[in-house]
Amino acid sequence: MSVSTEAKLKLLRNEMVKYGIDMYLVPSIDAHNSEYVPECWQRRPWISGFDGSAGEVLITLDNAYLWTDGRYFLQAEQQLDSSLFTLMKQQGFIAETEVWLTNNSSNKKLGIDPRLVGIGRTNKLQHIMDSCAGQLVILADNLIDNCKHQLNDVRPIPNKQAYMQPINYTGVSTVDKLTWLRTELVNNNVNWFAFNVLDEIAWLFNIRGTDIEYNPLVISYALIGEQHAIWFVDMTKISTELKQELSSYGVELLDYQQFGNYLSQLNSIIGLDDKTASFWMLQQAQMTSQVKLLRSPIVYKKALKNTTEQEGARIAHRKDGVAMVSFIHWLETNWKNGVDELSASDKLAEFRAKQDNLRGLSFATISGYAENGAIIHYRSTAATNKVIKDNNLYLLDSGGQ
């Protein structure tokens, strides 16, 4: 049964009253600081109706606001109910929510889910609320999830099978990466590193998956210590063969839900990246441990591609180039036959699929003719689909893995 945005907002405000808060922040990201978020954690689209990839919502007891940047103004105006939401047009790409809070939070209580707000930002929000006689309330529950439970609208966390990326693609073994990372433990005077960013975990363990659309990632956490390497993951995703292979590399597997409890009992010095780790991770770590905030060593190591990775990128670009040239030739010779945005997008996917080892698209293909091409991050639908002609521009933005 479809539930209106108005009804959802009413449920959320009831939750806010129950938890004693005046405002509730709904970011776009998930607990892993992901730009692409699985459907089960797409809370901001659920409450607002706006499904662009960037933006965040702030709900008060009387009003609702969506902040997003210029790429999405048209889309937001189309998707938001203007009687319920105010579109807050940002000047840049960084949400300006803090500016609004600075000017409008006097004596108010702002609630956040600490899993969805980073350490640095939480500290900033704390400072803002303190400066205006307000209060930042760190909630144990996610209020959007509470509402979804009431409506029986809960989607499961993806549990698709994980797999090992062969060394002929990675260039460096899992064992060698762990050995390197442990030298970074020593260099940074910490006993453990805790990781929540999925592409860093995928790189470290040479693991890939399909939990998140267009991204070869597995939803998980990781803890790396001087003697231990622990991967916290839904065990139903791991085959017996994969578990045995990881075990041979010294990687222990524990259930995804055990991460917080394990982190809270380490009684050590733990390294966290304050740019990506959630405030919830800091809360858990500080229960028994000293926390050292530093940039994740994987960020820089992963950015410097080894020779195998460089050659892999060249091969991938050549394959994608063949697919694109084939498509352009096809379009030039077939556009008079009534090719439209959707059929063109499908045909391009066919050409990509002819190349060996395609893992899928890298994002939803933007196939927009005429005024549709002016909508940034446009995604063609049956309702908006246009036939491609020769009297206007056709915009195509696409990619493959």
Side-chain angles (χ1 to χ4, degrees):
M1 181 180 69
S2 178
V3 179
S4 69
T5 300
E6 185 175 14
K8 292 176 181 178
L9 285 169
K10 184 177 180 180
L11 276 178
L12 178 58
R13 288 180 173 127
N14 288 341
E15 289 292 302
M16 291 166 61
V17 171
K18 186 190 306 181
Y19 284 80
I21 59 174
D22 306 291
M23 302 176 289
Y24 186 62
L25 182 66
V26 187
S28 292
I29 62 170
D30 60 18
H32 302 278
N33 202 41
S34 304
E35 178 183 2
Y36 287 80
V37 178
E39 186 178 11
C40 60
W41 293 331
Q42 289 185 10
R43 300 173 175 104
R44 184 261 298 159
W46 186 87
I47 194 64
S48 69
F50 170 70
D51 61 5
S53 62
E56 71 178 10
V57 156
L58 183 74
I59 308 294
T60 73
L61 295 175
D62 302 309
N63 298 292
Y65 304 90
L66 169 80
W67 278 264
T68 192
D69 62 74
R71 297 172 296 169
Y72 298 98
F73 289 168
L74 285 174
Q75 180 180 349
E77 287 168 353
Q78 292 170 357
Q79 293 183 329
L80 289 178
D81 184 337
S82 60
S83 69
L84 301 173
F85 272 87
T86 300
L87 173 59
M88 308 295 282
K89 296 182 177 181
Q90 297 169 200
Q91 298 300 309
F93 296 118
I94 305 300
E96 297 168 355
T97 318
E98 278 84 344
V99 177
W100 187 92
L101 287 169
T102 300
N103 298 320
N104 295 277
S105 299
S106 180
N107 297 305
K108 302 290 186 182
K109 293 182 179 180
L110 169 66
I112 64 169
D113 178 347
R115 290 172 175 80
L116 308 183
V117 184
I119 297 168
R121 190 178 190 195
T122 301
N123 291 335
K124 187 174 183 180
L125 291 172
Q126 183 71 66
H127 174 74
I128 290 171
M129 299 309 294
D130 288 346
S131 68
C132 60
Q135 182 181 343
L136 182 66
V137 181
I138 309 297
L139 299 171
D141 300 323
N142 185 282
L143 303 194
I144 298 289
D145 291 354
N146 287 359
C147 295
K148 293 171 78 172
H149 276 285
Q150 293 175 48
L151 296 171
N152 197 27
D153 189 18
V154 179
R155 310 297 168 87
I157 298 175
N159 65 343
K160 299 177 181 178
Q161 290 295 293
Y163 60 94
M164 185 68 69
Q165 185 80 325
I167 194 168
N168 57 304
Y169 294 130
T170 66
V172 180
S173 70
T174 303
V175 171
D176 287 343
K177 289 179 177 180
L178 289 170
T179 299
W180 161 78
L181 185 55
R182 288 185 171 116
T183 65
E184 293 298 307
L185 289 172
V186 175
N187 293 339
N188 288 281
N189 297 311
V190 296
N191 306 119
W192 297 82
F193 278 121
F195 298 98
N196 64 320
V197 176
L198 303 184
D199 61 84
E200 294 183 22
I201 296 169
W203 178 89
L204 177 64
F205 293 139
N206 289 332
I207 285 290
R208 302 293 186 268
T210 55
D211 281 349
I212 301 175
E213 193 173 19
Y214 310 121
N215 291 262
L217 305 174
V218 181
I219 294 171
S220 55
Y221 290 98
L223 272 173
I224 308 303
E226 296 154 324
Q227 305 294 328
H228 301 278
I230 309 171
W231 189 29
F232 296 85
V233 63
D234 179 350
M235 300 298 286
T236 64
K237 301 175 184 179
I238 311 301
S239 67
T240 301
E241 294 75 19
L242 179 56
K243 184 176 182 179
Q244 290 173 346
E245 183 172 1
L246 287 168
S247 178
S248 71
Y249 302 150
V251 179
E252 179 184 356
L253 272 63
L254 292 178
D255 187 78
Y256 178 76
Q257 302 295 342
Q258 292 182 249
F259 172 72
N261 186 55
Y262 199 103
L263 181 62
S264 70
Q265 299 181 44
L266 285 177
N267 193 24
S268 299
I269 303 174
I270 302 172
L272 292 179
D273 188 334
D274 68 339
K275 295 185 182 299
T276 55
S278 68
F279 189 75
W280 173 79
M281 292 171 66
L282 178 65
Q283 287 180 304
Q284 303 309 305
Q286 286 182 328
M287 287 186 182
T288 60
S289 298
Q290 176 186 341
V291 174
K292 188 170 184 179
L293 300 178
L294 48 94
R295 197 71 174 108
S296 164
I298 293 178
V299 170
Y300 302 111
K301 189 71 170 178
K302 184 165 67 70
L304 185 62
K305 305 303 180 188
N306 61 50
T307 55
T308 301
E309 291 171 321
Q310 291 173 28
E311 182 58 21
R314 296 185 188 103
I315 293 170
H317 277 79
R318 284 197 290 269
K319 289 179 176 181
D320 215 56
V322 170
M324 282 302 305
V325 170
S326 301
F327 169 77
I328 291 169
H329 176 263
W330 173 86
L331 183 62
E332 288 179 341
T333 55
N334 288 277
W335 69 269
K336 293 181 181 179
N337 300 327
V339 176
D340 58 32
E341 296 168 347
L342 289 173
S343 61
S345 178
D346 290 343
K347 193 67 179 180
L348 176 55
E350 286 181 25
F351 282 118
R352 282 201 166 96
K354 291 180 180 179
Q355 299 299 314
D356 291 340
N357 298 322
L358 179 75
R359 287 291 185 182
L361 302 183
S362 54
F363 57 94
T365 297
I366 301 170
S367 174
Y369 177 69
E371 61 266 31
N372 286 345
I375 302 173
I376 300 175
H377 288 201
Y378 168 74
R379 189 167 184 175
S380 186
T381 66
T384 63
N385 190 26
K386 289 183 179 295
V387 174
I388 298 169
K389 301 178 181 178
D390 66 345
N391 59 352
N392 215 314
L393 295 177
Y394 172 55
L395 174 74
L396 181 68
D397 188 0
S398 68
Q401 304 277 28

